């Protein structure tokens, strides 16, 4: 049980269509880091949750790149400071120069390119939730900053 004067645990919204990846990452982050994770199976359901709740970070799969990036653009432009500054990491099948430019414009902090290990996803989330909230970096090469 958390002490009464303790800060609430950080909150992560995990948007991941793959059931096994969603469950494994959510469970790992909760157990190891005490993070409160809300997992959504689709971009549409994740966006509905973002409208009504506060999160400290977002990790979204961009399997459906157009839908995911459009949602990110809408949430960044929503006018709520917590959404416009929320650190975001994406999981992508590939990341070409055009996609990297779009991600950079949307202030995405980290890109994980599939295939990647669950450990790398958990490390990336850990860094997104770091109190410094400065430049996010990963200890492995699996999660790279969005290229300039």
């Amino acid at each position: 049980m958390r002490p009464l004067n303790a800060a609430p645990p950080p909150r992560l919204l995990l948007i991941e269509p793959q059931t096994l990846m969603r469950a494994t990452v959510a469970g790992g982050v909760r157990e190891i880091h005490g993070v409160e994770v809300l997992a959504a199976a689709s971009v549409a359901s994740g966006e509905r949750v973002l409208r009504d709740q506060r999160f400290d970070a977002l990790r979204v799969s961009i399997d459906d790149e157009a839908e995911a990036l459009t949602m990110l653009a809408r949430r960044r432009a929503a006018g709520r400071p917590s959404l416009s500054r929320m650190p975001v990491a994406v999981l992508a099948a590939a990341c070409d120069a055009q996609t990297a430019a779009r991600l950079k414009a949307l202030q995405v902090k980290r890109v994980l390119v599939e295939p990647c290990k669950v450990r790398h996803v958990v490390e990336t989330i850990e860094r997104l939730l770091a109190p410094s909230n400065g430049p996010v970096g990963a200890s492995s090469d699996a999660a790279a900053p969005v290229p300039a």
Side-chain angles (χ1 to χ4, degrees):
M1 181 172 235
R2 194 167 39 97
L4 291 176
N5 61 349
R11 298 190 76 220
L12 170 75
L13 177 58
L14 173 67
I15 301 175
E16 174 57 59
Q18 296 178 19
T19 304
L20 182 59
M21 175 69 97
R22 186 173 61 247
T24 305
V25 170
V29 172
R30 278 184 195 118
E31 188 168 317
I32 297 169
H33 303 288
V35 174
E36 184 180 333
V37 180
L38 189 107
S42 70
V43 171
S45 62
E47 186 170 19
R48 282 190 298 274
V49 172
L50 273 172
R51 286 184 197 130
D52 300 326
Q53 297 184 39
R54 182 199 59 78
F55 292 92
D56 299 299
L58 169 67
R59 203 291 271 153
V60 60
S61 176
I62 59 171
D63 288 348
D64 183 347
E65 186 178 308
E67 182 184 21
L69 297 184
T70 300
M71 180 275 296
L72 275 175
R74 274 195 305 269
R75 295 299 95 208
R76 290 291 196 210
R80 287 181 27 211
S82 62
L83 289 175
S84 63
R85 293 189 308 262
M86 181 181 3
V88 174
V90 300
L91 179 66
C95 187
D96 59 17
Q98 182 179 5
T99 302
R102 289 185 71 195
L103 294 173
K104 185 175 178 75
L106 292 169
Q107 302 166 13
V108 170
K109 297 261 187 187
R110 303 300 281 182
V111 178
L112 290 142
V113 178
E114 296 178 293
C116 65
K117 296 180 179 186
V118 171
R119 171 177 53 96
H120 297 142
V121 178
V122 172
E123 287 174 356
T124 298
I125 291 167
E126 179 181 68
R127 283 160 181 78
L128 284 181
L129 294 168
S132 68
N133 207 10
V136 177
S139 61
S140 68
D141 291 330
V146 178

